[in-house]
Structure formats: structure tokens, C-alpha cells
Amino acid sequence: MCQHQPACPTADSADREAARPVAHHPEQGWSLLCNGVLLFEDTGELLPDGQVIAPHRPLTTGQVAQAA
């Protein structure tokens, strides 16, 4: 699917989110990457094979966990 040189990461690569967007719809909260991955603004993903990747937002920097 990707025509870029060098080629973007494939949908099954660990760095698949580094592929270039071919459609971007921020008003709807999603982007289609050139490797076929649908990337959602909450960091969830839908892979071309139908596999769902749950959102995986990092903790904000400077956030400290409180002891119980």
C-alpha cells in the first residue's frame, strides 16, 4: 500500500504509528495511515486485519503517583 521511499513501517511493525497519514479527519478524531492503520485521537488503533489495539496514552510528564 505504501509508495513512500523509504517505505513506511508495515501495519504489523511495532512502529506502525510512524507511517504517513493519507487521510486526516481531526473533527472526527481519526487518521488513516498509508499502511492501512486507522489511528484514533485517543491512541487506539484498528489494524487492516480487523485487530483492535486499545488506547495507550502515556502518563503526562511530571505526574507523581501518591503513596497509599
Side-chain angles (χ1 to χ4, degrees):
M1 184 181 262
C2 178
Q3 301 296 317
H4 300 114
Q5 291 300 322
C8 292
T10 62
D12 57 353
S13 297
D15 60 346
R16 64 182 155 261
E17 294 173 14
R20 294 185 192 182
V22 294
H24 182 63
H25 293 277
E27 72 282 359
Q28 296 176 356
W30 62 271
S31 295
L32 174 63
L33 305 181
C34 68
N35 57 7
V37 173
L38 273 173
L39 180 63
F40 297 96
E41 71 177 16
D42 68 355
T43 69
E45 301 170 25
L46 180 60
L47 303 184
D49 65 1
Q51 182 181 356
V52 174
I53 306 295
H56 48 277
R57 287 186 180 178
L59 293 176
T60 58
T61 59
Q63 187 173 3
V64 177
Q66 295 182 351

